[in-house]
Each structure stands twice: as C-alpha cells, then as structure tokens.
Amino acid sequence: MKLAHRFLYYFGGFTIGIIFLVFFLSGKKTSCEYGPDARTLKSIRVLKHEYSDQAEQFFTEHNIDTASVNHILKTGDVDFSKSKTHLDSCNIYNVFGEYKKLNLEIIIERCDNIATIQKINKLP
C-alpha cells in the first residue's frame, strides 16, 4: 500500500472519530481537567463553601462579594509549595488569582464535604 493511501485512511478514520466524539459528547458535562491545579480547584468548586469571619471582613472592607472567590477558583493557580496537602483530616491550599485588578491569595481548608475559606490576603 502506498504511503499516500495510508495517510488517507489514517486521517479519514481520525476525522470520523472526532465527529463521533463531538456528536456524542456535545450535550454532556464533560471536562478535560488533567493538571494538578485544575483537579484541585475543581474538587474545591464542587463542595459547599463556608467563609470565616476574616474572609467576610475582607469582603466588606474591599467592597467585593463571594463572586471573587468563585472567579479565582475557576482561573487561579494553586501554590503547592505553600499548601499543606498531606494532613490527616483536611488539606489546606493556597490559591492565587486576580479579580478586578486585585491580586488575591485565598487560603482554603478542604475537607470531605465542605471547603472553608479561611483567609483572603491582598497581594501587592
């Protein structure tokens, strides 16, 4: 078989496979979150959120709401070097992100059923 025919068969099958995937997965809530940051942030997003007194005070002082936390949980980065991920009960994560030109650091305690936003710091 000629090399051109091999490429034609390969790309034909590849195209049919892509169309098949797009057709069957288009209506489902599928995601491709494979990196450690994305998996950690997704596991925090799906849990119920509680806010500490310090976090609520930060919201009132800077005139922002909990949407900032949700935005950072979608677009932020986890600093695993500052996080405590090998604790017995609940892991503590440091998440960095930007919301309305504010650089924020959020310290989140993730347990089995709940994620508690412990502290929010404004970074320079």
Side-chain angles (χ1 to χ4, degrees):
M1 184 183 304
K2 294 181 182 178
L3 185 62
H5 289 166
R6 289 181 187 173
F7 280 118
L8 183 66
Y9 282 124
Y10 173 77
F11 286 115
F14 184 75
T15 304
I16 291 170
I18 292 295
I19 292 170
F20 180 76
L21 284 175
V22 168
F23 180 73
F24 282 105
L25 297 178
S26 64
K28 302 196 178 4
K29 294 182 180 180
T30 57
S31 62
C32 298
E33 296 168 341
Y34 296 114
D37 275 356
R39 288 182 298 174
T40 302
L41 292 174
K42 183 177 181 180
S43 69
I44 294 171
R45 276 195 312 263
V46 298
L47 295 174
K48 180 184 173 195
H49 296 154
E50 283 189 359
Y51 299 91
S52 69
D53 293 336
Q54 191 278 339
E56 291 178 359
Q57 180 182 358
F58 183 86
F59 291 142
T60 57
E61 287 176 2
H62 292 83
N63 198 22
I64 57 175
D65 57 359
T66 59
S68 62
V69 174
N70 294 332
H71 176 75
I72 291 175
L73 288 177
K74 288 182 182 174
T75 61
D77 295 318
V78 179
D79 187 356
F80 288 103
S81 64
K82 292 184 178 180
S83 300
K84 298 174 185 168
T85 59
H86 298 293
L87 300 176
D88 290 337
S89 58
C90 300
N91 294 331
I92 298 174
Y93 295 99
N94 286 38
V95 180
F96 295 92
E98 185 176 337
Y99 180 75
K100 292 186 179 179
K101 297 183 181 179
L102 288 173
N103 288 324
L104 301 176
E105 173 190 25
I106 302 174
I107 299 171
I108 301 170
E109 180 182 27
R110 187 191 74 186
C111 298
D112 291 336
N113 299 324
I114 196 160
T116 305
I117 287 64
Q118 296 289 332
K119 192 174 183 183
I120 302 174
N121 296 323
K122 183 179 171 185
L123 300 174

